[in-house]
Amino acid sequence: MKYPFPVGQVDFIQGDEAIARAAILAGCRFYAGYPITPASEIFEAMSLYMPLVDGVSIQMEDEIASLAAVIGASWTGAKAMTATSGPGFSLMMENLGYAIMTETPLVLVNVQRSGPSTGQPTLAAQGDAMQAIWGTHGDHSLIVLTPATVQEAFDMTIRAFNLAEKYRTPVILLTDAEVGHMRERVYAPHPDELELVYRKLPVNDEEAKYPFGDVHGDLVPPMPIFGKGYRTYVTGLTHDERGRPRTVDAEVHERLIKRIVAKIENNKKDIFDYETYELDDAEIVLVSFGIVARSAMRAVKELRKEGIKAGLLKLNVVWPFDFELIEKIAENAERMYVAEMNLGQVYHLIKEGANGKAEVDLISKIGGEVHTPGEIVERIKNDLR
């Protein structure tokens, strides 16, 4: 098919635009959203492109309805996405839990801005990391990806759809206003270069009877599609393998929730992704994600020039989390620093993972401005004096 933007070549585009283009290349054909800074450009791009690829883009009355529409579209077989920020993300929490409970594949983009409440609408932050992981109520698990560049925003959008389809789960692309509004060179692959994943479907009527059953032994049930002749019951209530409500059956509830969590946690080696720089002999380890990882990389280079053995762990996924990796890195480090644009969120994951093997400190910054490399360098040098 012909795409309404260049493929197989490099273009110079915004992060939000890159996410929209990548979603379409990944097979997304339904978008529902509500305008909100700094995510509105995703909506604008999807509204432009979707009609040209036989897709649907619709403005709902609010973010609650937006995610509800995406859930419904997914159950008709469409790859579906929404995008929001700050207050809109908070409004989506109930339906995010519903999507987790009903094992609905979808992609939710959060272009983070400074909060809480209306906060600083046009400025970046990383204050939603814990909300992305734990914001909806009850025991659950999901997947959270964190791009640091416009190219990563593009690539991780495609990966987000693949993971959502593979594990039949919501995936959050946790970006920020800086990455969303930044313009960089981006290579958009030709569709023939892409490996795309589509959800498992029932191969017969017997499998279709168990839309929430571990029929293949891999914890991910086949997903019947509405309108294909299946009689499928979908509910946010505790349900058995057939989808029937069983709200007072402790055994059914435990079996369901433990499987929903296990299909993510048991596959974290496949899902979790990270990059390292100069870690082999590092005595000082910087840990960062998203836009701040770019400053952290430069800071490591500057520290090395001054004879300080520093290294970087850049997190591309913040959930599921590889605590064992963090402990292994901590065993060879004297001190770890977590640089993030909040008052300390992923810091707590790193501290838990380090398990006392190394001292873990926070380099925090809020107010809408990204850490400069110099600020990170100065903080570490002051601690070493």
Side-chain angles (χ1 to χ4, degrees), residues 196-209:
L196 301 181
V197 177
Y198 190 74
R199 67 199 66 170
K200 287 185 300 186
L201 302 175
V203 297
N204 52 49
D205 289 342
E206 187 63 26
E207 278 195 7
K209 292 178 182 177

Side-chain angles (χ1 to χ4, degrees), residues 103-175:
E103 300 179 76
T104 305
L106 59 87
V107 173
L108 195 174
V109 182
N110 178 7
V111 188
Q112 294 172 97
R113 70 192 218 187
S114 182
S117 189
T118 313
Q120 298 173 289
T122 61
L123 299 181
Q126 293 179 321
D128 301 351
M130 288 296 102
Q131 184 185 19
I133 300 168
W134 301 119
T136 195
H137 62 282
D139 293 304
H140 63 274
S141 193
L142 76 172
I143 299 171
V144 184
L145 312 182
T146 53
T149 68
V150 178
Q151 183 69 62
E152 287 182 359
F154 186 100
D155 296 339
M156 288 188 193
T157 299
I158 293 173
R159 185 168 192 243
F161 276 99
N162 282 346
L163 291 170
E165 298 287 320
K166 182 176 181 177
Y167 293 108
R168 213 181 124 181
T169 186
V171 176
I172 295 174
L173 184 71
L174 191 66
T175 181

Side-chain angles (χ1 to χ4, degrees), residues 27-32 46 50 55-58 60 66 69-70 73-74 78-82:
C28 178
R29 292 298 179 268
F30 184 89
Y31 181 92
M46 293 302 261
M50 277 297 199
V56 173
S57 178
I58 182 170
M60 303 300 289
S66 297
V70 166
S74 183
K79 290 186 178 182
M81 181 178 86
T82 188

Side-chain angles (χ1 to χ4, degrees), residues 7 14 93 99 135 185 270 295-296 318:
V7 294
Q14 260 190 351
M93 286 300 105
R185 288 165 56 88
D270 175 51
S295 294
V318 295

Side-chain angles (χ1 to χ4, degrees), residues 61 104 133 153 200 293 316 334 377 385:
E61 64 266 33
T104 305
I133 300 168
K200 287 185 300 186
N316 296 330
E334 293 181 5
V377 169
R385 287 192 181 111

